[in-house]
Amino acid sequence: MTGPASVAIVDMDGVLLDLHWDTARVRRELNAILAPEGMSVDGDDLIAGIASACAKLDARDVEANARLATRLWAVIDKEEVRCAQGCSIHSGARSLLQRLSGVPVALYTNNHHSCALAALRTVGIDPARFFSIQARTGAASIKPAAAPVQAILSAPEAAGAERVFLVGDHPADMGSALAFRQAAPAPQIIAIGYAHSMDKVPLLEAAGADFVVTELSVAAELIQAPQSPHTLSMVLLAWNEEASIAAAVRDCRRVGRLWLSGYEIVVVDDGSCDDTAARAEAANQGDVRVVRHAHNQGMGAALRSGYTAARCDYIAFLPADRQVRPQSLLTFLPWATPETTVVSDYLAHPRARGAV
């Protein structure tokens, strides 16, 4: 029996729901417990702070650490019980689940299992919507780790899946995707970071996100994007982009390997006076060609050079500063034919709202 082409794993608090934690009060309670040990969670993510404090104490006294961890997580449990009754659903979450109606979806959360069930019911989401719910059951974080992802994929509904899309808003979610990737060569896992604000984008990318979105509808588009029969030349226009060119090449490569039948990346270095060309060449994995201009000639000349060098069936150009990411091309590829040219325009200039 052929399994599903794709499976989606969605984090609960931060992607689907907002539990509205009273973070300041919880931090005070945790610090009151930690103070006698000379520790605190000030300046830390609360869960990461607990993990760090417990690791330090565990190195000194295993039994004392077990008692401390129980007390610390009891504070978290109490706050989760309170929040589950008053949580709210994120904008776009219902639409995300609706758009993924044909995709097996699992829930993955660091919240306690009972909290997850109560919170879902509070916002009117049937827990049965998810073929698997991996949640915390005791006094320990389940992130970042491969185990919860492995448990989800051991369910019959996920058997034979070729790709797993994990959608999360926290670096620990991206960490779980990386841990699974290191533990198992298959199925392929793609980490999608959901950034609530633009300042979170670098954090999610640094944590290993393959793609970062600022709207859940875009996550749905990535998960549902069909394999394209086309080959595509992605032309990167670069002028003094040494800081971003390697990442821009990686962006194109991910899209090419995931969704295209063939691709190439053509970098047009339009007379840069920095290391743009050298860094582009260093990023080559047999899929990059660099075209150099001796001096800056402008966008029109760069386009002509890139299009002349292109060898694939179709061509698209992208800015090497990553203002526009290659995954945006997935919307247009199904419309492309030998008789059709697909164009797009900005409703608002991307610098005005920070395009991802």
Side-chain angles (χ1 to χ4, degrees), residues 50 54 66 68-74 77 112 136-141:
I50 290 175
C54 288
L68 180 74
T70 299
R71 293 179 63 197
L72 294 172
W73 282 99
D77 288 342
H112 197 277
R136 183 171 58 84
T137 57
S141 171

Side-chain angles (χ1 to χ4, degrees), residues 90-103:
H90 274 301
S91 173
R94 290 193 198 280
S95 177
L96 173 70
L97 294 177
Q98 290 170 356
R99 294 181 64 173
L100 297 180
S101 59
V103 177

Side-chain angles (χ1 to χ4, degrees), residues 58 149 229 245 252-253 256 273 286 290 302:
D58 191 62
V149 178
I245 189 63
C252 292
R253 180 174 294 127
C273 54
V290 179

